[in-house]
Each structure stands twice: as C-alpha cells, then as structure tokens.
Amino acid sequence: MLHSPRTLPALLVGVLLLSLAACGGEQSAGTAPSSAAATKKITVYSGRSEELVKPLLDKFTQASGITVDVRYAATAAMAAQLLEEGERSPADVFFAQDAGALGAVAKKGLFAPLPADVTSRVPETYRARSGEWVGVTARARVLVYNPSKATEQELPASVFELTDPKWKGKVGVAPTNASFQAFVTALRVQHGEDKAKEFLAGLQANEPQIRDGNGPILEEVDAGTMTVGLINHYYLGELAKERGLTPDKLTAKLHFFPGGDTGALVNVAGVGMLKKAAANADAKAFVDYLLGAEAQAYFAEQTFEYPVVAGVTGPAGVPALSELQAPDVDLNDLDELEATITMIKESGLVP
C-alpha cells in the first residue's frame, strides 16, 4: 500500500484533532550515534515521515559526524507541540510538511531568522518574507484521473468545475489531509471566504468519495474504482516506484489545472531553526545539507518532489517546476489554518 496522509497544522488543539484523526499516533526515533558524532548532536522535530527522510538523515550524519535525534509525527502534531512548548522546546530544527505549519510557528515568534546565505539559495516564492523558514522541496496539486473513466477532453479546466453534477460521486478527496487543507486556505486567500464556502458546499453536495489521504485515492483511480481525485503530483511516482514501474506505465494519469487555477497550488515542505539554535553551527549545517545537491537530488529521485535549488534536475515524468501554471497565492498567507479547518468541518466533508 502507498503510504499517505500528510497532515497540516491547526493552531487550536480541539480543531487540530480533526487533522490528527487521519494521522495515527506519534512515534519517536533517532539515528544511532557513533562515537565520532557523540559530542555533536541536534534535535529535529520532523513532520516528514521516518520512512521518507531517515535515509537522508543517516547520510547527513555519515558526512558531517553530527548525530540527529528525531521526533517523528504528523506536521500538525509537531507544530502543536512546538506551540505548546514554546521556548522550552528541545527542538533545534522543525522540518515541516507544509508552508502553513512553518508560518504558524513563525507567527508565534519561535524561529530565528535564517542567514542570508541560506535564504538566498531559495527563490522568494518558496521562502518566508521574514527569512524565518525556507522551502526544501515543492509539490503541485493535481487531478489524477483514469482515462477509461474520463477522457482528457472531459477533464475540468478549473477545480471549481468539480461541483458540476456531471462529477457527482466520482471525485476523491482527503479533507483531513494537509495538502487539501492548504488548498482550501489558498481558495480563501485567492477568492475570499464566501467563494471557498460555496465550493466546499458544492463539493459536499456532489457526494465526493472521502478518503484518509492521497495514496488511497490514487490507488483507487489507478484500479478504475474511482474516476478522478485531488492529490499531490508526487504520489504517482511513489506508487510507480513501489510497483517497480515508471509513472507512465500506471493507468492513472495527472491533470495539471491550467491558467493559474487554485487547483494547481504549488506548496512546499520546508525548514526553520528555533531561536535557541540561532548560533548552533550544527543546526545550520543540517539546513545547508537539505538545500545541498545531494539532498535535493534525493528528493527529486526518491520522493519525486521538485527541488527548489537551482541546478538540480527535477523529477521525471512531470512538467518542470518553471512550467507549472500555479495560482497567484503567497505561501506566507497559508499560516491561518484554524479557520480553514473549521470551514471544512462545517461543510460536512468531515463529520
């Protein structure tokens, strides 16, 4: 099975439970320290899964001699824990699944500004205006479809068209998933509260297929038991890798919404350093490593995400990041997710 939900933070614990219901329990792990690394150690709160990033963190330890103690959980849980712990947190670095989570922590004044030699490596689109966090990888929202169920000519030009009765019962969505929540926040930012509520109400009235994450949606679309679904682009590459195939050999195909449609939102996973680590050279070395050629290539080749640093080849089988027609949404504005979670719940998409 393809592992999925990747969940984003809400700022209130009661509202946060909506996201965490799809995420399971928290687990902790760390790389095994070697004698050479015993005196050099950082603590990372990771909203990225252990399966995804541990191989990369091991490479970092081997190359640098710096031990990485990692606490793994959903990005929502990690952000909530940082907000609760405040300046008492043992974390040096927060490696988050989503720009909204990073923004939420930054708004509480917990991050230190990153050095200019870090922020300058990442395009302005994919970093905080304040310099307190930077994107590490980018991912695009897409509509995955089964060509035997819907031809390319029948696909919607806008995500708003999915509320049309022709799509009744045919659309898979994961409303407790991080990326869907960020997409709804982008709707609010780009089109206003009323338009976002109208879309969610129309989607709910159209009897969508509710799933816990992007992975199950993709698998069902590929199997032909679901027509279309809203997911992130990289899941196609991950499923193909699991099956020993190239993405073009899967039945499921990706539809990138054109014309700056909100359905084509490009978000980031990223990193910020806690204030206590502002002068920590080892924490800085970790951030540098994530933005280096080895880590950027790892994400492109192993997780099929887009590198955000120039000079690294992007994932195969999808348009280049520069070719995507992303909406005019500032990722810095995705940090107010509490209202988004409430809106999704009130729409009826989540009980």
Side-chain angles (χ1 to χ4, degrees):
M1 286 286 292
L2 184 66
H3 295 281
S4 72
R6 303 182 176 193
T7 318
L8 213 87
L11 302 184
L12 294 182
V13 172
V15 177
L16 178 62
L17 292 177
L18 170 64
S19 298
L20 298 182
C23 297
E26 175 181 320
Q27 52 182 314
S28 298
T31 57
S34 65
S35 57
T39 59
K40 296 169 67 64
K41 180 166 65 176
I42 61 172
T43 299
V44 174
Y45 280 14
S46 178
R48 313 223 64 184
S49 72
E50 182 174 4
E51 178 183 19
L52 178 73
V53 301
K54 187 178 186 301
L56 191 63
L57 302 190
D58 289 344
K59 288 177 181 290
F60 168 72
T61 294
Q62 292 165 8
S64 66
I66 300 168
T67 298
V68 184
D69 282 347
V70 192
R71 178 169 294 179
Y72 293 102
T75 285
M78 288 288 86
Q81 185 157 343
L82 282 168
L83 296 179
E84 181 181 352
E85 292 171 342
E87 295 181 358
R88 305 184 312 275
S89 178
D92 297 303
V93 177
F94 181 29
F95 189 12
Q97 182 67 27
D98 173 82
L102 293 162
V105 174
K107 282 180 69 174
K108 294 297 183 180
L110 300 180
F111 283 149
L114 293 166
D117 68 305
V118 171
T119 58
S120 63
R121 297 163 72 179
V122 179
E124 289 184 10
T125 303
Y126 306 125
R127 68 180 196 237
R129 284 189 295 267
S130 64
E132 293 175 283
W133 58 263
V134 291
V136 172
T137 60
R139 78 288 306 277
R141 292 294 287 172
V142 297
L143 186 71
V144 62
Y145 69 100
N146 187 304
S148 69
K149 297 286 186 177
T151 66
E152 189 172 0
Q153 292 70 32
E154 294 173 322
L155 297 176
S158 170
V159 72
F160 288 102
E161 295 177 29
L162 294 177
T163 61
D164 189 288
K166 69 181 282 188
W167 297 107
K168 189 171 185 178
K170 298 179 179 180
V171 183
V173 296
T176 60
N177 180 264
S179 296
F180 184 85
Q181 294 168 1
F183 154 67
V184 173
T185 304
L187 285 178
R188 294 174 51 224
V189 169
Q190 191 172 29
H191 299 284
E193 302 293 305
D194 291 344
K195 186 71 172 178
K197 288 180 181 179
E198 179 184 341
F199 171 78
L200 292 175
L203 193 62
Q204 168 64 6
N206 232 12
E207 301 178 6
Q209 301 296 307
I210 305 297
R211 300 294 183 267
D212 287 339
N214 293 319
I217 292 173
L218 172 58
E219 290 176 345
E220 292 186 45
V221 171
D222 191 66
T225 57
M226 187 184 293
T227 303
V228 299
L230 292 169
I231 67 171
N232 289 337
H233 83 274
Y234 55 80
Y235 280 88
L236 194 75
E238 289 185 355
L239 181 60
K241 180 183 176 183
E242 283 188 11
R243 295 181 177 177
L245 303 171
T246 55
D248 61 296
K249 298 301 182 183
L250 294 176
T251 300
K253 305 300 178 188
L254 301 183
H255 172 58
F256 291 78
F257 289 104
D261 188 75
T262 318
L265 177 69
V266 175
N267 202 345
V268 295
V271 66
M273 288 171 51
L274 280 296
K275 280 186 173 178
K276 60 169 282 192
N280 187 326
D282 295 341
K284 166 65 161 52
F286 177 71
V287 174
D288 284 337
Y289 181 78
L290 292 178
L291 297 177
E294 181 177 36
Q296 291 286 295
Y298 172 87
F299 286 116
E301 296 166 5
Q302 301 301 319
T303 71
F304 306 95
E305 296 169 85
Y306 287 107
V308 295
V309 175
V312 181
T313 302
V318 292
L321 182 59
S322 62
E323 296 174 3
L324 299 181
Q325 299 180 38
D328 186 17
V329 173
D330 190 334
L331 297 183
N332 289 272
D333 295 333
L334 300 184
D335 58 358
E336 296 186 3
L337 297 175
E338 182 180 338
T340 292
I341 302 297
T342 300
M343 185 182 290
I344 293 171
K345 186 173 182 179
E346 291 177 346
S347 75
L349 287 172
V350 175

